[in-house]
Amino acid sequence: MDATHEHFNSVRTGRASAALLDRIQVEYYGTPTPLKNLATINVPEPRMLTIQPFDPSSIKQIERAIMESNLGLTPSNDGKIVRLPIPQPTEERRKELVKVVRGMAEEGRVAVRNVRRDVMRHLEELVRNGEVGDDEERAAETKVQKLTDEHVHQIDELLKHKEAEIMEV
């Protein structure tokens, strides 16, 4: 659930969000380093992000990482701060983003189902070893299925909210 929510936050909508840059890795002295470890990220305006690196000599690497991240953003700097204007996405881009978010939601659902499958296998193993009876197994399976359904429903709700946020003009 949390992983899916974090993935959703990294998708660009019309508004600026510091979470947008969470997955960006900067080549810093030969080591890929998360951008948030190298700089302070602020949102001074609804359509602008500012990145203030702790080490001003890393500005070029930060700009390169943002350009290569396929976020569709063009950074500019004044020697101390990198500015990222967030353009309003076109209707076509919004539809692409909705498809991306739906894919992320499906990955989340699959992850929840994989956990259910692993738990079911574990329950079967316990029954085979004689540690748990059939009635207890059925009760546990019912409980696991209910939890799975709840989490899938929560992912669907997150998806609905994110789609509305993306399509909002």
Side-chain angles (χ1 to χ4, degrees):
M1 277 296 304
D2 291 338
T4 303
H5 188 68
E6 284 179 31
H7 286 316
F8 281 179
N9 285 340
S10 71
V11 174
R12 181 163 71 95
T13 59
R15 287 184 222 103
S17 164
L20 192 61
L21 304 175
D22 280 353
R23 62 190 173 104
I24 293 183
Q25 298 280 322
V26 178
E27 193 72 26
Y28 187 65
Y29 290 108
T31 306
T33 309
L35 176 60
K36 60 185 174 184
N37 293 355
L38 296 176
T40 303
I41 302 169
N42 292 311
V43 185
E45 304 169 21
R47 298 214 174 279
M48 174 76 71
L49 285 172
T50 59
I51 304 163
Q52 187 166 13
F54 303 129
D55 176 8
S57 67
S58 65
I59 283 185
K60 289 290 179 210
Q61 292 96 323
I62 290 172
E63 283 186 322
R64 186 177 312 119
I66 292 169
M67 294 292 278
E68 292 172 355
S69 70
N70 77 11
L71 283 174
L73 301 175
T74 308
S76 63
N77 80 70
D78 62 5
K80 294 179 182 168
I81 293 179
V82 176
R83 287 183 173 72
L84 273 177
I86 311 285
Q88 185 73 25
T90 62
E91 186 68 24
E92 186 178 309
R93 179 70 178 142
R94 279 190 235 279
K95 289 179 181 174
E96 287 175 26
L97 289 172
V98 165
K99 288 179 186 175
V100 168
V101 168
R102 285 182 180 158
M104 290 175 173
E106 186 55 34
E107 288 173 13
R109 288 187 209 103
V110 167
V112 168
R113 290 184 196 118
N114 286 341
V115 170
R116 177 191 62 195
R117 184 194 64 223
D118 294 343
V119 169
M120 295 296 203
R121 281 188 187 148
H122 185 67
L123 283 171
E124 289 171 7
E125 202 175 289
L126 289 174
V127 168
R128 251 184 279 130
N129 295 339
E131 296 174 36
V132 175
D134 287 341
D135 293 342
E136 292 167 320
E137 180 196 20
R138 269 194 288 293
E141 284 178 356
T142 304
K143 202 173 200 176
V144 167
Q145 184 61 47
K146 185 179 174 191
L147 282 170
T148 301
D149 294 343
E150 285 174 17
H151 284 83
V152 167
H153 179 71
Q154 288 174 347
I155 289 173
D156 291 340
E157 288 298 310
L158 282 173
L159 174 63
K160 196 183 332 177
H161 291 303
K162 190 64 177 184
E163 282 182 354
E165 185 181 322
I166 289 171
M167 294 309 286
E168 181 183 304
V169 178

